[in-house]
Amino acid sequence: MLGLPAHVRACLFDLDGVLTQTAKVHAAAWKEMFDNYLRERATREGTEFVPFDAVDDYDEYVDGRPRADGVRTFLAARGMHLPEGTPDDTPQAETVNGLGKRKNDLVLRRIREDGVEPYEGSVRFVHAAREAGLRCAVVSSSANCRDVLAAAGIEDLFEQRIDGVVAHERRLRGKPAPDTYLEAARVLGTDPDAAAVFEDALAGVEAGRAGRFGVVVGVDRVGQADQLRAHGADIVIRDLADLLQSR
């Protein structure tokens, strides 16, 4: 009745880009942070400034990953390596943690200024899933997940939240490793093969495939259907409401 295989008993949703219209906010914040850093570094070293691509670089290196992994992965692709630093680093520190702090400050500023809107089709789908008796959880790499859910007015729709804070506390590897999704299935009391993963990030669908979940639904908001399938999506849709229309 939900456009999913009959054996599915739980739905595990990514946050940014699946439930809320915040993926573009993250992409813009990553670009602002990296461009400022890359420009400063190019000026200091006398090299060419090559800006961060908010589509290709975002999709390939940072989307869906924990913040520090995103910093580390993108810089490595440019042949750059920084000290890790510590979680206590200031945003001014030239470390992985410092750049992560810069990016997070930019995201929080944009959310405060612009607010957070959920995708209407996603809200409809979650309500339908709950009415059908399916368990629902949010699985996000973001440490701001709870605040974003609350700002969007959808926090009460989900039984469990496995986010960046929980992942750190429980020492779970971030996407594309399947750990956070497996933990969500565990706390819901559901076997992975009876759970559906909903993801818009390439790293996220890789996590769903690696965890051998019952079905991995790729949510294509930006025209990357082929990439989502190549990375592990079983089904690709433009909006979660498309599944309701398929009944």
Side-chain angles (χ1 to χ4, degrees):
M1 64 182 295
L2 294 168
L4 298 173
H7 66 276
V8 169
R9 294 290 176 265
C11 294
L12 313 178
F13 301 93
D14 177 44
L15 178 67
D16 303 310
V18 172
L19 297 174
T20 58
Q21 300 181 44
T22 41
K24 59 186 178 183
V25 177
H26 283 278
W30 279 111
K31 179 168 177 58
E32 183 176 351
M33 183 277 288
F34 273 131
D35 279 0
N36 287 339
Y37 175 69
L38 293 170
R39 188 178 290 107
E40 292 168 3
R41 184 161 175 160
T43 299
R44 185 173 70 229
E45 298 179 353
T47 56
E48 180 185 2
F49 164 60
V50 180
F52 178 85
D53 189 302
V55 177
D56 293 341
D57 288 335
Y58 178 72
D59 290 344
E60 184 69 23
Y61 303 118
V62 302
D63 189 20
R65 300 176 189 269
R67 194 184 310 145
D69 287 354
V71 173
R72 199 181 299 110
T73 303
F74 171 71
L75 291 180
R78 293 287 183 94
M80 301 176 184
H81 303 277
L82 292 179
E84 287 294 307
T86 73
D88 295 328
D89 284 356
T90 68
Q92 290 72 41
E94 192 172 354
T95 63
V96 169
N97 278 276
L99 293 191
K101 287 275 186 69
R102 295 186 203 183
K103 181 265 176 180
N104 195 51
D105 286 352
L106 292 169
V107 164
L108 294 176
R109 186 198 74 199
R110 289 171 181 267
I111 288 174
R112 284 195 302 269
E113 292 176 354
D114 302 332
V116 177
E117 290 293 328
Y119 285 103
E120 186 271 338
S122 297
V123 175
R124 284 173 50 205
F125 183 87
V126 176
H127 278 294
R130 287 168 54 93
E131 290 168 6
L134 274 62
R135 314 288 299 276
C136 295
V138 177
V139 182
S140 172
S141 298
S142 175
N144 303 314
C145 178
R146 186 172 189 173
D147 292 338
V148 171
L149 288 171
I154 58 174
E155 185 178 10
D156 293 340
L157 291 181
F158 305 96
E159 299 174 58
Q160 296 288 341
R161 171 179 46 84
I162 305 298
D163 60 10
V165 175
V166 174
H168 177 72
E169 292 173 348
R170 302 182 189 178
R171 299 186 177 182
L172 305 173
R173 293 176 299 167
K175 306 168 189 176
D179 300 30
T180 50
Y181 276 115
L182 291 172
E183 178 69 0
R186 186 190 70 79
V187 297
L188 289 178
T190 305
D191 290 334
D193 61 5
V197 167
F198 296 79
E199 266 285 356
D200 72 316
L202 303 182
V205 294
E206 284 185 32
R209 178 174 60 183
R212 299 184 178 181
F213 285 87
V215 61
V216 179
V217 180
V219 184
D220 179 24
R221 305 285 190 191
V222 295
Q224 58 175 7
D226 290 343
Q227 296 98 311
L228 289 167
R229 292 189 184 93
H231 283 259
D234 301 302
I235 302 169
V236 176
I237 55 175
R238 294 299 300 270
D239 187 86
L240 270 63
D242 295 346
L243 292 171
L244 299 176
Q245 294 169 3
S246 69
R247 286 187 289 181

